Amino acid sequence: MDLAYIPSPSTGVIHLGPIPLRGYAFCIILGVFVAVWLGNKRWIARGGTAGTVADIAVWAVPFGLVGGRLYHVITDYQLYFSEGENWVDAFKIWEGGLGIWGAIAFGAVGAWIGCRRRGIPLPAYADAIAPGIALAQAIGRWGNWFNQELYGKPTDLPWALKITESANREAGLYHPTFLYESLWCVGVAFLVIWADRRFKLGHGRAFALYVAAYCAGRGWIEYMRVDEAHHILGLRLNVWTAIIVFVLAVVYMVVSARVRPGREEIVEPRSRKPVETGKTDDDAEDAADAGTGKAASDDAADPDDAADPDDAGDSHDVENGAGNGAGSAAKG
């Protein structure tokens, strides 16, 4: 008798009249919302303006969804194009099947387009949004729970996942690999936030840390899965992908730290508000939570930080920190 296990939902769809609400789609949408919300807070803390992250996400999210689906269909083509299968199912994204590798790659293309339109460096945007992406993945993995897919090997552990029988799965208790990856992604998000505050990561290194940390977890979690997959030299394709991407991310962090040390002072030209080097990220995020109006009133109330309109264009005063001290931010 099984004393404890994680039950699976009897259905992944709830109908409100004629409208179907699918658990998988809900998890993806909620994850995107969390990523944009957290990314916006971090972007403001870095000196950007509110709303910029959402504006660029309008480009990044659709590209990411298309890329994620393309990666899944290409790497699991036999599910859609082999004998007896219906190729139309390749378009049924609500039934599950998004490859994170394709989602990040294509999403980066969309983000690059959005950043270019606003004159924003892509690496700075990627650093701001990185923890949010990890949390979005953590939430999105619960969509696999609704669909009863991507579970691991059989187990009798108390946290085993109970899978019901269907045409393409056998009933039993299995490792809840969706839960393992969800918890791992939460840990990755906190790791990136901590490291970014501690080491002032810039020029894409916070994003590279997220990629490397995620790949480290995805490698061992992928190895536990029992769903059908292509193998190369005895390892699942996604394991090889995780290894290669992990190495590339680590190399980027090392090379970037040597070539472009430090962090961008100005991340958004329109804001014209560089982050003061004397402040910590905690201070910056507290100021962002209080609202840009408070920050503006504080600047106006501080005679030492007030900018002289007559000297606004004087590059000599900016270079010598005219009356503001070496740690003050130059006013545009």
Side-chain angles (χ1 to χ4, degrees):
M1 178 178 179
D2 300 316
L3 299 179
Y5 57 81
I6 301 173
S8 292
S10 58
T11 179
V13 185
I14 299 176
H15 291 273
L16 293 181
I19 303 176
L21 300 179
R22 302 182 182 277
Y24 186 87
F26 175 77
C27 291
I28 297 298
I29 294 172
L30 180 60
V32 170
F33 174 81
V34 170
V36 172
W37 169 78
L38 180 58
N40 183 65
K41 287 174 61 68
R42 287 172 52 81
W43 185 253
I44 294 174
R46 288 287 303 274
T49 57
T52 296
V53 169
D55 291 343
I56 296 176
V58 171
W59 289 91
V61 172
F63 272 76
L65 290 174
V66 172
R69 188 60 176 179
L70 279 175
Y71 182 90
H72 166 72
V73 171
I74 291 173
T75 56
D76 290 310
Y77 62 87
Q78 73 280 354
L79 300 177
Y80 308 100
F81 302 106
S82 60
E83 185 177 356
E85 302 293 343
N86 187 359
W87 64 271
V88 176
D89 292 341
F91 297 95
K92 297 179 180 179
I93 191 173
W94 56 86
E95 293 183 353
L98 288 175
I100 186 61
W101 316 110
I104 294 298
F106 274 63
V109 174
W112 175 81
I113 295 174
C115 288
R116 185 176 178 82
R117 289 167 60 89
R118 298 182 70 106
I120 293 172
L122 177 60
Y125 179 82
D127 285 342
I129 202 71
I133 295 178
L135 290 180
Q137 290 178 247
I139 297 171
R141 271 305 177 203
W142 284 86
N144 302 131
W145 176 66
F146 280 101
N147 288 351
Q148 296 196 45
E149 59 186 0
L150 306 187
Y151 44 86
K153 301 174 182 178
T155 181
D156 57 357
L157 292 171
W159 56 84
L161 175 67
K162 184 175 183 179
I163 296 296
T164 59
E165 187 174 1
S166 74
N168 57 356
R169 62 176 181 257
E170 183 179 347
L173 298 177
Y174 302 89
H175 277 285
T177 50
F178 85 91
L179 178 60
Y180 298 161
E181 186 168 337
S182 179
L183 294 175
W184 183 272
C185 287
V186 171
V188 169
F190 281 105
L191 170 65
V192 174
I193 292 173
W194 170 81
D196 196 23
R197 290 177 174 176
R198 174 66 177 82
F199 302 106
K200 303 297 184 293
L201 302 176
H203 302 287
R205 289 188 287 277
F207 183 81
L209 175 61
Y210 143 72
V211 172
Y214 171 74
C215 289
R218 179 61 184 269
W220 66 266
I221 294 172
E222 182 74 23
Y223 190 75
M224 297 179 64
R225 283 168 45 174
V226 294
D227 53 298
E228 186 178 356
H230 297 287
H231 288 71
I232 301 176
L233 299 179
L235 292 180
R236 293 166 66 97
L237 175 60
N238 282 332
V239 174
W240 281 111
T241 304
I243 293 173
I244 294 172
V245 175
F246 172 83
V247 172
L248 293 175
V250 172
V251 170
Y252 177 87
M253 283 192 290
V254 173
V255 174
S256 175
R258 293 181 178 179
V259 175
R260 304 188 70 183
R263 173 187 279 181
E264 301 92 338
E265 292 185 0
I266 298 178
V267 296
E268 187 169 2
R270 293 183 182 181
S271 69
R272 302 195 305 176
K273 179 180 139 185
V275 176
E276 297 184 14
T277 56
K279 290 185 178 181
T280 64
D281 280 359
D282 292 330
D283 296 333
E285 290 185 3
D286 290 342
D289 292 339
T292 56
K294 179 179 181 302
S297 63
D298 289 344
D299 288 342
D302 191 344
D304 292 333
D305 291 338
D308 186 347
D310 295 333
D311 296 335
D314 192 337
S315 60
H316 176 74
D317 288 344
V318 173
E319 293 174 359
N320 291 278
N324 291 327
S328 298
K331 300 286 192 279

